[in-house]
Amino acid sequence: MINIIDLSVNYKDSRALDGVSTKIKKGDLVAVVGANGAGKSTLLKSIMGQLKPSFGHVDLGQLSPKDIAYLPQSHQIDRKFPITVREFVSAGAWRRTGFWRVFSQTEKVLLQQALSKVNLIGVEERQISALSGGQFQRMLFARMLMQDAEILLLDEPFAAIDAQTTMDLMDVIHDCQTQGKTIITVIHDLALVNRFFPKVILLAKKLIGSGETKLIMTGENLSKAGYQHIAYIPEPTPSIIKIETQVDPNIQLNIKQPLKSSEICSNPEHYEENVS
Amino acid sequence: MTTDLYGLFLEPFIEFSFMQRALWGCLVLSLSATPIGVFLTLRKMSLTGDAMAHAILPGAAIGFLVAGVSITAMTIGGVIAGCIVAVLAGVVARHTNAEEDSSLAAFYLLSLASGVLIISAKGSNMDLLHVLFGSVLALNNDALILLTSIATVSLVSLAILYRPLVFECVDPAFFRSVSKLSSVAHFSFLLLVVLNLVAGFHALGTLMAVGLMILPAAVARFWTEKLGTMIVIAFVTSVISSYFGLFLSYHASFATSPAIVLVMGCIYIVSLLIGKRGGLLTHH
């Protein structure tokens, strides 16, 4: 059980998270949803103990940050660095092997299993720079599986990958859930959240709501989280949409000018890129 | 014919001990500086390396002021100055609005100017030339011991830091999530850069020291995608350039460190044109 108690985190002078309290039970599959700058990544980093809260704390119960596997946003990774898929995925075993030891037979088996679960058998010796976007994301999942941790934190695992890969990787997530792992995923695609994630944490620096997805993802809550345009527009019909620029003053979205009709789309990720 | 070739290519290095010392100095320097250079370029820190190379000068100059042309004093001064600038540049980049590259450029101009000023105030033009372009043909025992020690420390540290360094480059967010060594890896690496620049400073001078790091690494990137191979190619490039640099310097009386760097430069231009990975003429 992860118990987040009145958590506030500051970045330099600005507040990234403000008094967030929620509980995540063991074995839960939770989506963290919110606009850019809503504190989603900050929440994950606080759970890992990488950021010091300015107030409140995160209680991992009997577990420690060592029981956490983290899947970072793919844009933070230097994809041109000369390293093979095998070497990259092997890093998942570091908690067990340290930086210097040679891999045992067990680790080699685990590596093969991780690669086969994400369908990457046969590309082990390729450089990561040669992978497609989907393959790259599969590789990140393989490394996370290799970590074999109790808590999985995923930061935007489905950004910019195709539907098939998303479905395959959702299967991997479900597998992990049936093994009793606790999974917390930052995710932008609201349709995916509604379809696959039983629980949700909705953030806009403050906690808008957390609990069962059906109960939390209401139009009212989404609008509080800065999603009002998307929540009511499933398909864009550019000629008649007039975008409001008024936003809840508590939510610091930087909307400088109304979106052009060509910029409106149903993918919330793209939406956020436009407003930020 | 054989004697001609012997006289041309081998004799200088067999007859004259200063040529042997120069070659040995360049070899050990290549052994440690090129892997560091490969990591430096992969982390897109070539400019940082350049700035730090210049930053060593005022420290070495103060050492010179205190103790004259003393390897020990200049080394200690250089290492301290290099570390200060490495930390300062990081702090400035983090806490002000200035971009890191402009703060680096500011630091390096300041250090270069103050270093040259100090040396020219106290020493001769000859001293200044030594500091700027090194004295690879006049390496004494102390200098060779220093270069070899630095190479040993660098190689051992690199062997220990290899995996942490690789992941600090590829995926720092993940690395921080599994290890608290992230900043240890980062600062140990910067320290290794400074040490190797000081070693390079003694041999090639403050203006050319960074050449031995950056150019071979830049060459290697045109020929392979594998990190291990990259380091080997960089090392070989550096050794070949050192040999032919000394060779040209001996036969044509060129200034030695610019000759070495220019040979590297030629190899770089050839690689840039016909390199297997991204060369201009091989690019499809």
Side-chain angles (χ1 to χ4, degrees):
Chain A
M1 164 111 105
I2 302 170
N3 201 353
I4 298 166
I5 304 153
D6 205 12
L7 181 73
S8 297
V9 180
N10 289 349
Y11 268 129
K12 290 183 183 171
D13 298 329
S14 68
R15 181 146 282 203
L17 273 182
D18 191 2
V20 173
S21 294
T22 185
K23 285 178 185 167
I24 298 155
K25 284 200 214 103
K26 182 176 159 39
D28 269 355
L29 174 54
V30 189
V32 180
V33 179
N36 276 2
K40 305 181 299 288
S41 298
T42 307
L43 182 68
L44 295 194
K45 283 179 186 157
S46 305
I47 295 174
M48 285 190 286
Q50 278 184 16
L51 290 175
K52 243 195 160 146
S54 46
F55 196 78
H57 69 282
V58 178
D59 180 13
L60 295 179
Q62 285 156 352
L63 299 176
S64 77
K66 288 187 175 171
D67 298 303
I68 296 174
Y70 174 56
L71 190 148
Q73 292 179 31
S74 54
H75 71 79
Q76 295 178 331
I77 299 168
D78 181 1
R79 292 180 60 166
K80 285 189 181 155
F81 196 91
I83 181 172
T84 63
V85 172
R86 180 194 299 283
E87 289 162 340
F88 192 92
V89 175
S90 302
W94 277 359
R95 285 246 187 243
R96 298 183 299 272
T97 62
F99 296 124
W100 301 286
R101 241 167 292 162
V102 179
F103 265 34
S104 66
Q105 201 53 45
T106 338
E107 297 294 352
K108 283 180 188 158
V109 172
L110 274 174
L111 180 72
Q112 283 305 313
Q113 282 173 350
L115 288 169
S116 82
K117 257 194 186 160
V118 297
N119 273 334
L120 274 188
I121 295 289
V123 301
E124 298 97 320
E125 300 309 327
R126 251 189 241 175
Q127 296 287 316
I128 63 169
S129 54
L131 298 183
S132 69
Q135 284 174 322
F136 189 81
Q137 210 59 37
R138 285 168 192 268
M139 178 182 72
L140 292 186
F141 269 72
R143 185 178 65 183
M144 184 183 70
L145 293 174
M146 190 74 192
Q147 287 185 268
D148 194 25
E150 284 306 307
I151 302 171
L152 311 181
L153 305 180
L154 298 85
D155 203 345
E156 297 184 27
F158 303 126
I161 54 174
D162 62 46
Q164 184 56 49
T165 310
T166 304
M167 290 307 126
D168 288 353
L169 295 179
M170 250 349 276
D171 283 346
V172 175
I173 290 184
H174 279 136
D175 269 3
C176 292
Q177 198 202 5
T178 49
Q179 288 166 26
K181 296 183 191 301
T182 311
I183 302 155
I184 305 168
T185 307
V186 171
I187 202 155
H188 274 301
D189 191 332
L190 300 187
L192 275 180
V193 175
N194 285 323
R195 197 167 149 200
F196 292 114
F197 290 79
K199 301 224 167 135
V200 68
I201 295 173
L202 188 58
L203 285 177
K205 298 199 182 200
K206 291 181 187 336
L207 182 71
I208 306 292
S210 70
E212 300 224 2
T213 305
K214 273 179 246 148
L215 302 176
I216 300 298
M217 299 288 273
T218 60
E220 193 191 351
N221 277 342
L222 284 170
S223 138
K224 276 189 202 161
Y227 275 108
Q228 63 265 54
H229 317 314
I230 302 165
Y232 305 122
I233 310 167
E235 291 296 325
T237 41
S239 55
I240 51 164
I241 294 170
K242 189 168 174 281
I243 298 294
E244 296 170 59
T245 51
Q246 284 176 338
V247 197
D248 185 335
N250 292 324
I251 302 160
Q252 294 180 352
L253 274 175
N254 253 337
I255 302 186
K256 294 195 182 91
Q257 56 190 32
L259 297 179
K260 278 180 258 157
S261 59
S262 62
E263 289 170 346
I264 298 165
C265 58
S266 57
N267 186 335
E269 196 187 320
H270 298 166
Y271 159 78
E272 286 185 356
E273 278 162 10
N274 288 334
V275 295
S276 58
Chain B
M1 170 74 184
T2 333
T3 43
D4 283 355
L5 286 176
Y6 171 81
L8 196 62
F9 289 103
L10 290 177
E11 200 184 352
F13 296 94
I14 290 171
E15 289 283 301
F16 300 104
S17 80
F18 72 89
M19 290 297 277
Q20 292 168 4
R21 286 163 174 278
L23 193 61
W24 173 253
C26 289
L27 275 180
V28 288
L29 202 55
S30 306
L31 207 53
S32 67
T34 51
I36 303 265
V38 168
F39 277 105
L40 209 57
T41 50
L42 286 175
R43 301 185 70 175
K44 300 170 186 75
M45 282 169 64
S46 310
L47 194 68
T48 314
D50 197 21
M52 280 159 71
H54 294 89
I56 285 166
L57 189 59
I62 291 171
F64 170 79
L65 207 59
V66 174
V69 187
S70 146
I71 298 274
T72 323
M74 288 169 89
T75 301
I76 295 172
V79 170
I80 293 174
C83 291
I84 290 175
V85 165
V87 171
L88 271 184
V91 170
V92 168
R94 217 163 291 160
H95 294 284
T96 71
N97 293 327
E99 293 285 330
E100 194 169 10
D101 68 331
S102 60
S103 62
L104 280 173
F107 278 126
Y108 111 62
L109 286 166
L110 270 175
S111 351
L112 194 59
S114 54
V116 169
L117 199 82
I118 295 171
I119 291 189
S120 56
K122 276 283 167 185
S124 64
N125 271 347
M126 206 52 207
D127 292 328
L128 189 61
L129 272 182
H130 270 215
V131 169
L132 292 181
F133 296 104
S135 41
V136 68
L137 294 183
L139 292 172
N140 60 17
N141 279 346
D142 288 350
L144 283 187
I145 290 171
L146 179 79
L147 294 190
T148 314
S149 315
I150 287 179
T152 313
V153 170
S154 300
L155 285 181
V156 171
S157 315
L158 264 188
I160 295 173
L161 284 176
Y162 190 80
R163 281 183 188 170
L165 256 185
V166 166
F167 263 82
E168 176 67 13
C169 299
V170 191
D171 191 353
F174 167 81
F175 185 47
R176 276 195 294 277
S177 80
V178 293
S179 167
K180 293 197 164 64
L181 284 180
S182 171
S183 50
V184 176
H186 179 67
F187 284 106
S188 317
F189 177 67
L190 286 184
L191 184 65
L192 287 182
V193 173
V194 172
L195 279 178
N196 277 278
L197 285 171
V198 170
F201 162 79
H202 285 302
L204 301 181
T206 190
L207 294 182
M208 300 288 155
V210 77
L212 213 63
M213 286 188 177
I214 304 301
L215 278 172
V219 166
R221 287 210 81 169
F222 282 110
W223 296 101
T224 179
E225 281 185 333
K226 291 183 180 145
L227 185 54
T229 322
M230 214 174 262
I231 290 173
V232 173
I233 293 179
F235 172 68
V236 173
T237 306
S238 179
V239 170
I240 293 175
S241 316
S242 301
Y243 174 81
F244 280 105
L246 289 169
F247 174 86
L248 285 175
S249 163
Y250 177 84
H251 287 293
S253 303
F254 290 155
T256 317
S257 66
I260 293 175
V261 172
L262 272 179
V263 175
M264 278 177 202
C266 293
I267 300 179
Y268 173 76
I269 287 170
V270 171
S271 306
L272 180 70
L273 291 175
I274 59 163
K276 229 167 55 178
R277 309 271 165 196
L280 290 176
L281 301 180
T282 42
H283 203 68
H284 302 296

